[in-house]
Amino acid sequence: MRLKAIEIVEMLNVKAEARATVPAFRVGDTVKVHSKISEGDKERIQVFEGIVIRIQRKHVATTFTCRKISYGVGVERIFPMYSPRIDKIEIMASAKVKRARLFYLRDLKGKAGRLKNAAENAGQ
Amino acid sequence: MKGLIGTKIGMTTVFGADGTAQPVTVVEITPNLVFGHRTKERDGYMALQLASGELTAKGEKRANKPKLGEYKKRGQKAHKVVKEFRVDAKGLGEHAVGSAITVAMFTKGEPIDVTATSRGFGFQGVMKRHHMKGAARDSSTAHELHRHPGAIGQRKTPGRVFRNKRLPGHMGTETVTIQNLKVVDVILESHILLVSGSVPGHDKCQVIVRPAVKDHKQ
């Protein structure tokens, strides 16, 4: 059970507006994550585009794992969903998947490692 | 050292301004009532008696009469617990009997010590209780010895097991103090203290929060 005092703390720390900016993406979606990177005293935005292969729901501490193939090498990055370091998240595509955790993608290469687009799938 | 009585609510994560995720324990500290004073003249030492956890009508019905009488005599509302905190004369002067001390006593960033009764684990073996290594898992020579402590002594000399030998037994449910935890935030209106990291005890257990005795301010 979530206690009220914890809710208060979490609401104060991660405001409702901040929560609203996070789109409701699902496992299997391809997302673009714009995260803030600070280099010295300068700050810039870095974009990571990949398939969401896992969402660990833990209230404000929720994280999700994004996977992409970069120069032939699989790269996975875990983002805290409500981190103030995340500028925005864009949903690029959705796919119909039958798993909550898409770890099987790690073993697949090339064409097999791609997911079918949900929109295209709907027409079949 | 002045302190306050609170309740551990549970843990969560807060993000700092720079985006760092900090694990925190939420401690609820409702205003502590100054129940009484211990004075040098009367008691031989000086301390504040603080009461916490105001009783509801139901709680009052369940509390024992002599205890309620103590509050009645002082014209105070009945509370669940009373603890003493040693202070100097100045401390006594600052807090009159019947007044309340709130969580505002602590400031953001201040090092604190948190005392509570640790979670009970029951009777536990040496691996869990003393972090012993046990014996090999996959070797046939370690027949049924995997989680055992191994030898506990020598031979005829000394011919006995040394005192305080670490053996299986009851674990937990002891008073534990964690020193030099940091106050991450104080939320006055909801009487909440955010403590960095974990504190002893189960959720909803009583905790005592004091300013750190070994203050390593750098």
Side-chain angles (χ1 to χ4, degrees), chain B residues 6-192:
Chain B
T7 313
K8 171 174 168 179
I9 301 293
M11 292 190 71
T12 181
T13 305
V14 296
F15 291 105
D18 57 349
T20 48
Q22 163 82 51
V24 293
T25 306
V26 181
V27 178
E28 189 177 35
I29 304 178
T30 48
N32 283 197
L33 171 78
V34 182
F35 174 77
H37 285 170
R38 292 279 191 217
T39 56
K40 198 105 197 172
E41 304 77 60
R42 192 183 57 208
D43 310 292
Y45 65 98
M46 282 183 288
L48 279 176
Q49 291 176 301
L50 297 186
S52 167
E54 206 173 296
L55 290 180
T56 55
K58 201 178 192 178
E60 241 174 81
K61 215 159 79 185
R62 286 174 180 171
N64 76 21
K65 289 257 171 61
K67 227 179 205 173
L68 287 179
E70 282 293 321
Y71 290 101
K72 219 174 154 188
K73 199 168 73 186
R74 292 154 204 251
Q76 296 170 345
K77 280 185 180 151
H79 285 64
K80 212 166 170 182
V81 285
V82 175
K83 295 257 177 233
E84 285 187 13
F85 295 90
R86 297 290 282 262
V87 289
D88 50 17
K90 190 169 148 266
L92 280 187
E94 275 170 6
H95 303 287
V97 175
S99 64
I101 309 179
T102 68
V103 70
M105 170 185 153
F106 297 105
T107 50
K108 207 168 166 173
E110 185 184 345
I112 51 168
D113 295 344
V114 180
T115 306
T117 306
S118 64
R119 274 163 58 211
F121 290 83
F123 193 100
Q124 289 299 334
V126 288
M127 284 180 75
K128 194 184 184 83
R129 193 170 179 225
H130 300 301
H131 301 125
M132 287 188 187
K133 288 211 171 78
R137 296 244 118 209
D138 47 2
S139 162
S140 58
T141 52
H143 177 63
E144 289 185 0
L145 271 166
H146 305 301
R147 297 189 64 90
H148 284 225
I152 59 168
Q154 296 77 36
R155 292 184 69 172
K156 187 151 187 193
T157 317
R160 63 191 170 89
V161 176
F162 288 128
R163 196 167 274 183
N164 300 328
K165 174 70 200 150
R166 295 173 304 154
L167 287 172
H170 186 270
M171 182 180 166
T173 334
E174 53 189 341
T175 305
V176 177
T177 304
I178 309 271
Q179 295 184 325
N180 282 315
L181 292 172
K182 275 239 167 62
V183 174
V184 175
D185 208 352
V186 184
I187 305 169
L188 289 176
E189 54 270 35
S190 2
H191 309 298
I192 288 170

Side-chain angles (χ1 to χ4, degrees), chain A residues 8-27:
Chain A
I8 293 171
V9 171
E10 290 179 353
M11 283 314 284
L12 277 177
N13 188 241
V14 182
K15 299 271 186 332
E17 309 91 76
R19 288 170 201 236
T21 57
V22 179
F25 57 87
R26 303 174 59 169
V27 169

Side-chain angles (χ1 to χ4, degrees), chain A residues 4 10 20-21 29 35 49-50 63 73 91 98-99 116:
Chain A
K4 216 180 127 207
E10 290 179 353
T21 57
D29 291 0
S35 54
E49 184 173 359
T63 58
V73 181
I91 303 176
K98 293 184 174 180
R99 304 273 180 282
K116 277 185 183 164

